[in-house]
Amino acid sequence: MEVDIRPIYKRIWDFLGSRDLSVFIFVMGMTYFLILAIFGIVAPLPSVTNISKLLPYKVLYILFFINLLICEIKWIPVIIRRCRKPRPPETADEMARFRDKIVVSGQWSVASGLEKYLRRRGYKIQGSGVSGQGSENPSLLAPRSSLLLYAYKGRFSPIGNLLFHISFLFLLIGVGLSIFYRFDGTLLVAEGQGISGEDAEYISSTETEYASPPDISFKVEKITPAFWKDMLLFTDLKADMSFDEGKGRGAIRLSQPLRIAGARVTITGIGITPLYILKDDQGMELARSYVNLSIFLPGSEGDFQILDSPYRVRVSFYPDFELKDGKGSTRSMNPVNPTFEVMVSKNWKRVFKGFLKPDEEARFDDLSLSFPEFKYNGIFRVVYDRGFVFIWTGFILMIAGLAWRLVVYRKEIVIWEEEGKVSLSGRSDYYQNLFVSELRSLPKYGLFDLSTIPEKV
């Protein structure tokens, strides 16, 4: 039994960067996520999220990160070695990597256009005999043989592997930042209103362990909804915005977020912000204010307290009002006949209920209440995810690495003379059969003709 005499730290290092551990992590990861999928069917999402944060999952994430990092450290020297300038084959053993030997008729000459053709296709030319003379050297390939031409391309194709594996590090960093620093909040902001930095009042928010609201400032200039026919179905919902103290301007749509101070801001819905005016019996204003209400859906209700008064108002909004069987409804979503359904209560006792148009007033207790105008407010979702950039960078590197490896792959061509016969062969990292077809078309660029005596060994 052979005893491993290496220091223990080297054995631990090799184990943590081994493929065996990679396979184990992969199998355990599939098992763990299968468990999450099963729980996702029978349990609510918050419970599944809490399960994914338990200690076994954290240990798996840490092992995956360590294994990936050590594998990358081990891979870098290998990639550097593979990117070195290749050498022409010098022995029969080195020729073993070339397959599909093709023997051609005729005599070799560099006066042909083959060399120029290969250079135009991106090949680099090197090797003995490229000057057309050939060199007799018993150490070359085999006795009584001489190398005529060696060409290669795709020398740096292994970099694609490196980019692909590095992409996982970016993905892992991005996911980690999202887990601990992601903020997702909802704001209700009306036309002409704005928010300023950390003073923004979020109506709802989801914060991770170390997250905090982003320091963003913007102002909503105008909200423009467009509806399909007369139904409550948006064909477009646009919000014109200004930010950075008016220096920046942009537009937000349902599927088109705007990036402000590193946060993505999206509009998800709209509401109504009416202006109410409370007057006494002499016509003197007692209170005036805009109130943001989520009452865009016909029949939905919102309520507010009148400033410095015991009165509470419940409001519904109908953009194109009509009365059916004593109940309010709307013909369309376009504000052609806007009407408010209002109920006013004092100390939980109702003092008024009815329908009000913008030019009408509700009278109660020697007071009058009106809603002379309204504007839209937007429901804005603010997502501040520090891992977003890393995740997208990881995906870009992954695609670039795959494209690099599969498109810019290594090809080699060797032409040599042996016992009076000229032969050519080649190897390709991928698509070898397709590459053979390319090889068989090469002799037409020389002074020999493959069609005369084709032979494939």
Coordinates of all heavy atoms in Angstrom, one line a residue, residues 15-16 18-35 56-57 59-68 71 164-165 168:
F15 N -7.4 18.0 -2.7 CA -8.7 17.5 -2.5 C -9.8 18.6 -2.8 O -10.8 18.3 -3.5 CB -8.9 16.9 -1.1 CG -10.3 16.6 -0.8 CD1 -10.9 15.5 -1.4 CD2 -11.1 17.4 0.0 CE1 -12.3 15.1 -1.1 CE2 -12.4 17.1 0.3 CZ -13.0 16.0 -0.3
L16 N -9.6 19.8 -2.3 CA -10.5 20.8 -2.5 C -10.6 21.3 -3.9 O -11.6 21.8 -4.4 CB -10.2 22.0 -1.6 CG -10.4 21.8 -0.1 CD1 -9.9 23.1 0.7 CD2 -11.8 21.5 0.2
S18 N -10.1 19.1 -6.5 CA -10.2 17.9 -7.3 C -11.5 17.8 -8.1 O -12.5 18.4 -7.7 CB -10.0 16.7 -6.4 OG -11.1 16.6 -5.5
R19 N -11.5 17.0 -9.1 CA -12.7 16.8 -9.9 C -13.7 15.9 -9.1 O -14.9 16.0 -9.3 CB -12.4 16.1 -11.2 CG -11.6 17.0 -12.1 CD -11.6 16.5 -13.5 NE -10.9 17.4 -14.4 CZ -11.0 17.4 -15.8 NH1 -11.8 16.6 -16.3 NH2 -10.4 18.3 -16.5
D20 N -13.2 15.0 -8.2 CA -14.1 14.2 -7.4 C -15.0 15.1 -6.5 O -16.2 14.8 -6.4 CB -13.2 13.3 -6.5 CG -12.5 12.2 -7.3 OD1 -13.0 11.9 -8.5 OD2 -11.6 11.6 -6.8
L21 N -14.4 16.1 -5.9 CA -15.2 17.0 -5.1 C -16.1 17.8 -6.0 O -17.3 18.1 -5.6 CB -14.3 18.0 -4.4 CG -15.0 19.0 -3.5 CD1 -15.8 18.3 -2.4 CD2 -14.0 20.0 -2.8
S22 N -15.7 18.2 -7.2 CA -16.6 18.9 -8.1 C -17.9 18.0 -8.4 O -19.0 18.5 -8.5 CB -15.9 19.2 -9.4 OG -14.8 20.1 -9.2
V23 N -17.6 16.7 -8.7 CA -18.8 15.8 -9.0 C -19.6 15.7 -7.8 O -20.9 15.7 -7.9 CB -18.2 14.5 -9.5 CG1 -19.4 13.4 -9.6 CG2 -17.5 14.6 -10.8
F24 N -19.0 15.6 -6.6 CA -19.8 15.4 -5.4 C -20.7 16.7 -5.1 O -21.9 16.6 -4.8 CB -18.9 15.2 -4.2 CG -19.6 15.3 -2.8 CD1 -20.3 14.2 -2.4 CD2 -19.5 16.4 -2.1 CE1 -20.9 14.3 -1.1 CE2 -20.1 16.5 -0.8 CZ -20.9 15.4 -0.4
I25 N -20.1 17.9 -5.3 CA -20.9 19.1 -5.2 C -22.0 19.2 -6.2 O -23.1 19.6 -5.8 CB -19.9 20.3 -5.3 CG1 -18.9 20.4 -4.1 CG2 -20.7 21.6 -5.4 CD1 -17.9 21.4 -4.3
F26 N -21.7 18.8 -7.4 CA -22.8 18.8 -8.4 C -24.0 17.9 -8.0 O -25.1 18.3 -8.1 CB -22.2 18.3 -9.8 CG -23.2 18.2 -10.9 CD1 -23.7 19.4 -11.5 CD2 -23.7 17.0 -11.3 CE1 -24.6 19.3 -12.5 CE2 -24.6 16.9 -12.3 CZ -25.1 18.1 -12.9
V27 N -23.6 16.6 -7.6 CA -24.7 15.7 -7.2 C -25.5 16.2 -6.0 O -26.7 16.2 -6.0 CB -24.1 14.3 -6.9 CG1 -25.1 13.4 -6.4 CG2 -23.5 13.7 -8.2
M28 N -24.8 16.7 -5.0 CA -25.5 17.3 -3.8 C -26.3 18.5 -4.2 O -27.4 18.7 -3.6 CB -24.4 17.6 -2.7 CG -23.7 16.4 -2.1 SD -24.9 15.2 -1.5 CE -25.7 16.2 -0.2
G29 N -25.8 19.3 -5.1 CA -26.5 20.5 -5.5 C -27.8 20.1 -6.2 O -28.9 20.7 -5.9
M30 N -27.8 19.1 -7.1 CA -29.0 18.6 -7.7 C -30.0 18.1 -6.7 O -31.2 18.3 -6.8 CB -28.7 17.6 -8.7 CG -27.8 18.1 -9.9 SD -28.7 19.2 -10.9 CE -30.0 18.2 -11.6
T31 N -29.5 17.4 -5.7 CA -30.3 16.8 -4.6 C -30.9 17.9 -3.8 O -32.2 17.9 -3.5 CB -29.5 15.9 -3.7 OG1 -28.9 14.9 -4.5 CG2 -30.4 15.2 -2.7
Y32 N -30.2 18.9 -3.4 CA -30.7 20.0 -2.6 C -31.7 20.8 -3.3 O -32.8 21.1 -2.7 CB -29.5 20.9 -2.2 CG -28.7 20.4 -1.0 CD1 -28.8 19.1 -0.6 CD2 -27.8 21.2 -0.3 CE1 -28.0 18.6 0.5 CE2 -27.0 20.8 0.7 CZ -27.1 19.5 1.1 OH -26.3 19.0 2.1
F33 N -31.5 21.1 -4.6 CA -32.5 21.9 -5.3 C -33.7 21.0 -5.7 O -34.8 21.6 -5.8 CB -31.8 22.4 -6.6 CG -30.9 23.6 -6.2 CD1 -29.5 23.4 -6.3 CD2 -31.4 24.8 -5.8 CE1 -28.7 24.5 -6.0 CE2 -30.6 25.9 -5.5 CZ -29.2 25.7 -5.6
L34 N -33.6 19.7 -5.7 CA -34.8 18.9 -5.9 C -35.6 18.9 -4.6 O -36.9 19.0 -4.7 CB -34.3 17.4 -6.2 CG -35.5 16.4 -6.3 CD1 -36.3 16.8 -7.5 CD2 -34.9 15.0 -6.5
I35 N -35.0 19.0 -3.5 CA -35.7 19.1 -2.2 C -36.5 20.5 -2.2 O -37.6 20.5 -1.8 CB -34.7 19.0 -1.0 CG1 -34.1 17.6 -0.9 CG2 -35.4 19.4 0.3 CD1 -33.1 17.5 0.1
P56 N -26.9 23.5 5.8 CA -26.4 22.6 4.7 C -26.2 23.3 3.4 O -25.3 23.0 2.6 CB -27.4 21.5 4.6 CG -28.1 21.5 6.0 CD -28.1 22.9 6.4
Y57 N -27.1 24.2 3.0 CA -27.0 24.9 1.8 C -25.9 25.9 1.8 O -25.1 26.1 0.8 CB -28.3 25.7 1.5 CG -29.4 24.7 1.1 CD1 -30.3 24.1 2.0 CD2 -29.7 24.5 -0.3 CE1 -31.3 23.3 1.6 CE2 -30.7 23.6 -0.7 CZ -31.5 23.0 0.3 OH -32.5 22.2 -0.1
V59 N -23.1 25.6 3.5 CA -21.9 24.8 3.4 C -21.7 24.4 1.9 O -20.5 24.4 1.4 CB -22.0 23.5 4.3 CG1 -20.8 22.6 4.0 CG2 -22.0 23.9 5.8
L60 N -22.7 24.0 1.2 CA -22.6 23.6 -0.2 C -22.1 24.8 -1.0 O -21.3 24.7 -1.9 CB -24.0 23.1 -0.7 CG -24.0 22.6 -2.1 CD1 -23.1 21.4 -2.3 CD2 -25.4 22.4 -2.6
Y61 N -22.7 26.0 -0.8 CA -22.3 27.2 -1.5 C -20.8 27.5 -1.2 O -20.0 27.8 -2.2 CB -23.1 28.4 -1.1 CG -24.6 28.3 -1.3 CD1 -25.5 28.9 -0.4 CD2 -25.1 27.5 -2.3 CE1 -26.9 28.8 -0.6 CE2 -26.5 27.3 -2.4 CZ -27.3 28.0 -1.6 OH -28.7 27.9 -1.8
I62 N -20.4 27.4 0.0 CA -19.0 27.7 0.3 C -18.0 26.6 -0.3 O -17.0 27.0 -0.9 CB -18.8 27.6 1.9 CG1 -19.5 28.8 2.5 CG2 -17.3 27.7 2.2 CD1 -19.5 28.8 4.0
L63 N -18.4 25.4 -0.3 CA -17.6 24.3 -0.9 C -17.5 24.6 -2.5 O -16.4 24.4 -3.1 CB -18.2 22.9 -0.7 CG -17.9 22.4 0.7 CD1 -18.6 21.0 0.9 CD2 -16.4 22.2 1.0
F64 N -18.6 24.9 -3.0 CA -18.6 25.2 -4.5 C -17.7 26.4 -4.8 O -16.9 26.3 -5.8 CB -20.1 25.5 -4.9 CG -20.2 25.9 -6.4 CD1 -20.1 25.0 -7.4 CD2 -20.3 27.3 -6.8 CE1 -20.1 25.4 -8.7 CE2 -20.4 27.6 -8.1 CZ -20.3 26.7 -9.1
F65 N -17.7 27.4 -4.0 CA -16.9 28.6 -4.3 C -15.4 28.2 -4.1 O -14.6 28.5 -5.0 CB -17.3 29.7 -3.3 CG -16.4 30.9 -3.5 CD1 -16.6 31.8 -4.5 CD2 -15.3 31.1 -2.6 CE1 -15.8 33.0 -4.6 CE2 -14.5 32.3 -2.7 CZ -14.8 33.2 -3.8
I66 N -15.1 27.5 -3.1 CA -13.7 27.1 -2.8 C -13.2 26.2 -3.9 O -12.1 26.3 -4.5 CB -13.5 26.4 -1.5 CG1 -13.8 27.4 -0.3 CG2 -12.2 25.8 -1.3 CD1 -13.8 26.8 1.1
N67 N -14.0 25.1 -4.3 CA -13.6 24.2 -5.4 C -13.4 24.9 -6.7 O -12.4 24.7 -7.4 CB -14.7 23.1 -5.5 CG -14.4 22.1 -6.6 OD1 -15.0 22.2 -7.7 ND2 -13.4 21.2 -6.4
L68 N -14.3 25.8 -7.0 CA -14.2 26.6 -8.3 C -13.0 27.5 -8.3 O -12.2 27.5 -9.3 CB -15.5 27.4 -8.5 CG -15.6 28.2 -9.8 CD1 -15.6 27.2 -11.0 CD2 -16.8 29.0 -9.8
C71 N -9.8 25.3 -8.6 CA -9.7 24.8 -9.9 C -9.2 25.8 -10.9 O -8.4 25.5 -11.8 CB -11.1 24.2 -10.4 SG -11.5 22.6 -9.6
F164 N -15.0 30.8 -19.6 CA -16.2 30.0 -19.2 C -16.2 29.7 -17.8 O -17.2 29.9 -17.1 CB -16.3 28.8 -20.1 CG -17.5 28.0 -19.7 CD1 -18.8 28.3 -20.3 CD2 -17.5 26.9 -18.9 CE1 -19.9 27.5 -20.0 CE2 -18.6 26.1 -18.6 CZ -19.8 26.5 -19.1
H165 N -15.0 29.3 -17.2 CA -15.0 28.9 -15.8 C -15.0 30.2 -14.9 O -15.5 30.2 -13.8 CB -13.8 28.1 -15.6 CG -13.9 26.7 -16.1 ND1 -13.5 26.3 -17.4 CD2 -14.3 25.5 -15.5 CE1 -13.8 25.0 -17.5 NE2 -14.3 24.5 -16.4
F168 N -18.4 31.6 -13.8 CA -19.0 31.0 -12.6 C -18.6 31.8 -11.3 O -19.4 32.0 -10.4 CB -18.7 29.6 -12.4 CG -19.4 28.7 -13.4 CD1 -18.8 28.3 -14.6 CD2 -20.7 28.3 -13.2 CE1 -19.5 27.4 -15.5 CE2 -21.4 27.5 -14.0 CZ -20.8 27.0 -15.2

